[in-house]
Protein backbone atom coordinates (compact mmCIF):
# COMPACT_ATOMS: atom_id res chain seq x y z
CA UNK A 1 0.00 0.00 0.00
CA UNK A 2 1.12 3.55 -0.59
CA UNK A 3 2.10 5.52 2.48
CA UNK A 4 0.23 8.70 1.51
CA UNK A 5 -3.10 7.53 2.97
CA UNK A 6 -2.65 9.87 5.93
CA UNK A 7 -2.71 13.67 5.97
CA UNK A 8 -3.22 16.13 8.82
CA UNK A 9 -6.29 17.45 7.01
CA UNK A 10 -7.87 13.98 6.90
CA UNK A 11 -6.97 13.21 10.49
CA UNK A 12 -8.62 16.44 11.68
CA UNK A 13 -11.92 15.12 10.31
CA UNK A 14 -11.76 11.72 12.03
CA UNK A 15 -14.47 11.01 14.61
CA UNK A 16 -13.36 12.56 17.93
CA UNK A 17 -14.50 9.53 19.93
CA UNK A 18 -12.42 7.23 17.72
CA UNK A 19 -9.38 9.42 18.35
CA UNK A 20 -10.02 9.20 22.09
CA UNK A 21 -10.44 5.44 21.98
CA UNK A 22 -7.21 5.11 19.99
CA UNK A 23 -5.31 7.22 22.51
CA UNK A 24 -6.53 4.97 25.35
CA UNK A 25 -5.57 1.86 23.34
CA UNK A 26 -2.02 3.12 22.86
CA UNK A 27 -1.72 3.99 26.55
CA UNK A 28 -2.87 0.47 27.41
CA UNK A 29 -0.21 -1.02 25.14
CA UNK A 30 2.40 1.15 26.82
CA UNK A 31 1.22 0.01 30.26
CA UNK A 32 1.49 -3.61 29.07
CA UNK A 33 5.16 -3.04 28.31
CA UNK A 34 4.96 -3.18 24.53
CA UNK A 35 7.99 -1.80 22.71
CA UNK A 36 7.96 1.70 21.27
CA UNK A 37 8.25 0.25 17.78
CA UNK A 38 5.23 -2.03 18.34
CA UNK A 39 3.14 0.86 19.64
CA UNK A 40 4.08 3.04 16.67
CA UNK A 41 3.18 0.22 14.29
CA UNK A 42 -0.21 -0.33 15.94
CA UNK A 43 -0.88 3.41 15.86
CA UNK A 44 -0.15 3.59 12.13
CA UNK A 45 -2.35 0.57 11.41
CA UNK A 46 -5.21 1.99 13.47
CA UNK A 47 -4.97 5.42 11.87
CA UNK A 48 -5.09 3.85 8.41
CA UNK A 49 -8.27 2.06 9.47
CA UNK A 50 -9.88 5.23 10.87
CA UNK A 51 -9.16 7.13 7.65
CA UNK A 52 -11.01 4.39 5.79
CA UNK A 53 -13.91 4.65 8.27
CA UNK A 54 -13.95 8.41 7.66
CA UNK A 55 -14.04 8.05 3.89
CA UNK A 56 -16.21 4.97 3.42
CA UNK A 57 -18.28 4.47 6.59
CA UNK A 58 -19.57 7.97 7.32
CA UNK A 59 -17.00 8.48 10.07
CA UNK A 60 -18.93 6.21 12.45
CA UNK A 61 -17.76 5.39 15.93
CA UNK A 62 -15.79 2.15 15.98
CA UNK A 63 -18.34 0.94 18.53
CA UNK A 64 -21.04 1.05 15.84
CA UNK A 65 -19.21 -0.94 13.17
CA UNK A 66 -20.62 -4.30 12.10
CA UNK A 67 -18.96 -7.50 10.97
CA UNK A 68 -19.36 -6.58 7.30
CA UNK A 69 -17.54 -3.29 7.90
CA UNK A 70 -14.48 -5.08 9.26
CA UNK A 71 -14.76 -7.71 6.53
CA UNK A 72 -14.94 -5.05 3.83
CA UNK A 73 -11.86 -3.37 5.25
CA UNK A 74 -10.01 -6.65 4.80
CA UNK A 75 -11.21 -6.80 1.20
CA UNK A 76 -10.08 -3.18 0.70
CA UNK A 77 -6.58 -4.13 1.86
CA UNK A 78 -6.37 -7.12 -0.45
CA UNK A 79 -7.63 -5.12 -3.43
CA UNK A 80 -4.71 -2.78 -2.91
CA UNK A 81 -2.24 -5.58 -3.18
CA UNK A 82 -1.06 -6.03 0.40
CA UNK A 83 0.45 -9.40 1.24
CA UNK A 84 -1.43 -11.98 3.27
CA UNK A 85 0.88 -11.39 6.25
CA UNK A 86 0.38 -7.61 6.08
CA UNK A 87 -3.39 -8.03 5.77
CA UNK A 88 -3.44 -10.23 8.86
CA UNK A 89 -1.25 -7.77 10.77
CA UNK A 90 -3.62 -4.87 10.05
CA UNK A 91 -6.69 -6.91 11.01
CA UNK A 92 -4.94 -8.19 14.13
CA UNK A 93 -4.31 -4.60 15.23
CA UNK A 94 -7.99 -3.70 14.91
CA UNK A 95 -9.05 -6.92 16.64
CA UNK A 96 -6.70 -6.20 19.56
CA UNK A 97 -8.06 -2.67 19.80
CA UNK A 98 -11.66 -3.88 19.91
CA UNK A 99 -10.77 -6.41 22.61
CA UNK A 100 -9.35 -3.60 24.76
CA UNK A 101 -12.56 -1.64 24.19
CA UNK A 102 -14.55 -4.61 25.51
CA UNK A 103 -12.43 -4.59 28.66
CA UNK A 104 -12.89 -0.85 29.26
CA UNK A 105 -15.29 -0.44 32.16
CA UNK A 106 -16.18 3.09 31.08
CA UNK A 107 -17.42 2.02 27.65
CA UNK A 108 -20.55 0.04 26.84
CA UNK A 109 -19.26 -2.30 24.18
CA UNK A 110 -20.35 -5.89 24.40
CA UNK A 111 -20.90 -6.69 20.74
CA UNK A 112 -17.41 -6.86 19.25
CA UNK A 113 -18.01 -7.78 15.61
CA UNK A 114 -14.32 -7.65 14.71
CA UNK A 115 -13.83 -10.79 16.80
CA UNK A 116 -15.69 -12.73 14.10
CA UNK A 117 -13.40 -11.62 11.27
CA UNK A 118 -10.77 -14.26 10.59
CA UNK A 119 -7.30 -13.77 9.22
CA UNK A 120 -6.25 -15.27 5.91
CA UNK A 121 -4.27 -18.49 5.90
CA UNK A 122 -0.69 -17.79 4.92
CA UNK A 123 0.49 -19.96 2.07
CA UNK A 124 4.24 -20.18 1.63
CA UNK A 125 4.91 -19.54 -2.05
CA UNK A 126 8.69 -19.45 -1.96
CA UNK A 127 11.57 -21.07 -0.19
CA UNK A 128 14.12 -19.12 1.82
CA UNK A 129 17.50 -19.14 0.11
CA UNK A 130 20.68 -18.29 2.00
CA UNK A 131 23.56 -16.64 0.14
CA UNK A 132 27.13 -17.75 0.76
CA UNK A 133 29.77 -15.32 1.98
CA UNK A 134 31.32 -15.37 -1.50
CA UNK A 135 27.99 -14.51 -3.12
CA UNK A 136 27.37 -11.62 -0.71
CA UNK A 137 30.87 -10.28 -1.37
CA UNK A 138 30.41 -10.44 -5.13
CA UNK A 139 27.03 -8.70 -4.87
CA UNK A 140 28.49 -6.04 -2.59
CA UNK A 141 31.32 -5.10 -4.96
CA UNK A 142 29.01 -5.17 -7.96
CA UNK A 143 26.78 -2.62 -6.18
CA UNK A 144 29.81 -0.46 -5.51
CA UNK A 145 30.86 -0.72 -9.17
CA UNK A 146 27.41 0.52 -10.16
CA UNK A 147 27.60 3.28 -7.51
CA UNK A 148 24.55 1.89 -5.70
CA UNK A 149 26.05 2.92 -2.39
CA UNK A 150 22.88 3.08 -0.33
CA UNK A 151 21.87 -0.44 -1.31
CA UNK A 152 25.41 -1.64 -0.70
CA UNK A 153 25.31 -0.11 2.78
CA UNK A 154 22.02 -1.83 3.53
CA UNK A 155 23.40 -5.17 2.30
CA UNK A 156 26.59 -4.80 4.35
CA UNK A 157 24.73 -3.82 7.52
CA UNK A 158 22.24 -6.65 7.10
CA UNK A 159 25.03 -9.18 6.62
CA UNK A 160 27.26 -7.86 9.41
CA UNK A 161 24.53 -7.46 12.00
CA UNK A 162 22.22 -10.33 10.94
CA UNK A 163 19.43 -7.89 11.80
CA UNK A 164 15.84 -8.44 10.73
CA UNK A 165 14.37 -6.13 8.11
CA UNK A 166 12.27 -4.18 10.62
CA UNK A 167 15.31 -3.81 12.88
CA UNK A 168 17.38 -2.40 10.01
CA UNK A 169 14.64 0.10 9.21
CA UNK A 170 15.04 1.60 12.69
CA UNK A 171 18.70 2.47 12.17
CA UNK A 172 19.42 6.20 12.01
CA UNK A 173 22.41 8.16 10.73
CA UNK A 174 23.76 8.74 14.22
CA UNK A 175 25.01 5.17 14.33
CA UNK A 176 27.48 5.90 11.53
CA UNK A 177 28.71 9.39 12.36
CA UNK A 178 31.57 8.24 14.60
CA UNK A 179 34.15 6.19 12.63
CA UNK A 180 35.37 4.65 15.89
CA UNK A 181 31.99 3.06 16.59
CA UNK A 182 30.98 -0.43 15.54
CA UNK A 183 27.31 -0.33 16.44
CA UNK A 184 24.14 1.50 15.48
CA UNK A 185 21.61 3.26 17.66
CA UNK A 186 19.55 1.00 19.90
CA UNK A 187 16.69 -0.71 18.05
CA UNK A 188 13.69 -2.75 19.20
CA UNK A 189 14.14 -6.44 18.42
CA UNK A 190 11.66 -9.29 18.33
CA UNK A 191 10.12 -9.88 21.74
CA UNK A 192 10.62 -6.27 22.86
CA UNK A 193 14.36 -6.65 23.51
CA UNK A 194 16.40 -3.51 22.81
CA UNK A 195 20.01 -3.47 21.66
CA UNK A 196 22.30 -1.95 19.04
CA UNK A 197 23.23 -3.73 15.81
CA UNK A 198 26.94 -4.46 15.36
CA UNK A 199 28.72 -3.82 12.05
CA UNK A 200 32.25 -4.02 10.64
CA UNK A 201 34.59 -2.49 8.06
CA UNK A 202 32.56 -3.33 4.97
CA UNK A 203 29.55 -1.48 6.34
CA UNK A 204 31.76 1.49 7.27
CA UNK A 205 33.18 1.56 3.75
CA UNK A 206 29.75 1.59 2.11
CA UNK A 207 28.34 4.21 4.48
CA UNK A 208 31.32 6.50 3.84
CA UNK A 209 30.70 6.26 0.11
Amino acid sequence: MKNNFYTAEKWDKVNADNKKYLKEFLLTLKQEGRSEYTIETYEGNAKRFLIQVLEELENKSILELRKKDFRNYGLYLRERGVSTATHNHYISTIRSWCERLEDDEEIEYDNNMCRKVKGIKIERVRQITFLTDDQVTKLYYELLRREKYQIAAWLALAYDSTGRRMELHQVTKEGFEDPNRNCTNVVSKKGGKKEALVYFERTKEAVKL
Side-chain angles (χ1 to χ4, degrees):
M1 290 181 66
K2 295 182 179 179
N3 292 323
N4 61 354
F5 77 96
Y6 174 91
T7 65
E9 182 179 0
K10 286 183 180 180
W11 185 247
D12 286 343
K13 297 177 182 178
V14 167
N15 185 302
D17 284 338
N18 287 341
K19 291 181 181 178
K20 180 179 68 175
Y21 298 147
L22 175 57
K23 182 178 180 179
E24 290 299 320
F25 175 50
L26 299 176
L27 288 173
T28 299
L29 294 178
K30 185 174 182 180
Q31 185 274 327
E32 292 174 355
R34 301 298 184 93
S35 71
E36 182 178 342
Y37 176 73
T38 296
I39 294 173
E40 289 177 353
T41 301
Y42 274 46
E43 180 179 12
N45 293 349
K47 284 184 173 180
R48 176 178 278 108
F49 174 68
L50 291 182
I51 294 298
Q52 183 68 5
V53 172
L54 165 69
E55 296 181 336
E56 301 295 335
L57 296 172
E58 300 178 348
N59 209 16
K60 292 180 181 179
S61 165
I62 189 173
L63 306 182
E64 299 174 1
L65 299 183
R66 314 306 297 167
K67 179 181 177 180
K68 68 177 182 180
D69 298 323
F70 296 111
R71 178 205 64 196
N72 290 345
Y73 181 61
L75 293 174
Y76 163 82
L77 294 172
R78 295 307 298 273
E79 288 171 356
R80 275 146 186 79
V82 305
S83 67
T84 299
T86 300
H87 166 279
N88 288 346
H89 186 54
Y90 288 151
I91 296 300
S92 176
T93 294
I94 308 307
R95 188 183 297 116
S96 295
W97 183 11
C98 289
E99 289 172 357
R100 301 312 194 286
L101 287 170
E102 282 186 294
D103 291 336
D104 193 325
E105 297 178 351
E106 298 181 1
I107 298 175
E108 292 187 10
Y109 185 53
D110 55 4
N111 194 26
N112 178 5
M113 292 290 103
C114 189
R115 186 188 298 279
K116 299 182 179 181
V117 179
K118 306 298 182 182
I120 300 173
K121 182 179 179 180
I122 297 178
E123 297 181 358
R124 303 297 179 185
V125 296
R126 62 183 176 83
Q127 293 182 331
I128 297 176
T129 302
F130 294 94
L131 301 182
T132 65
D133 180 75
D134 184 56
Q135 289 173 321
V136 172
T137 299
K138 288 181 179 179
L139 177 58
Y140 173 76
Y141 284 110
E142 179 62 22
L143 290 169
L144 294 190
R145 187 186 71 80
R146 299 187 185 188
E147 299 183 354
K148 302 291 186 180
Y149 301 131
Q150 188 176 33
I151 301 175
W154 195 96
L155 171 67
L157 177 60
Y159 189 64
D160 281 351
S161 68
T162 67
R164 296 172 179 269
R165 181 179 58 181
M166 291 304 175
E167 295 167 7
L168 297 173
H169 288 178
Q170 298 173 57
V171 173
T172 62
K173 288 184 179 180
E174 66 171 300
F176 302 111
E177 290 175 348
D178 185 348
N180 296 317
R181 287 180 56 173
N182 284 86
C183 62
T184 68
N185 55 291
V186 173
V187 302
S188 296
K189 301 176 75 68
K190 188 175 182 179
K193 184 178 180 182
K194 293 180 178 291
E195 63 181 41
L197 302 179
V198 176
Y199 57 84
F200 304 104
E201 294 306 314
R202 186 154 55 186
T203 297
K204 290 184 178 182
E205 175 187 45
V207 168
K208 184 177 181 180
L209 289 170

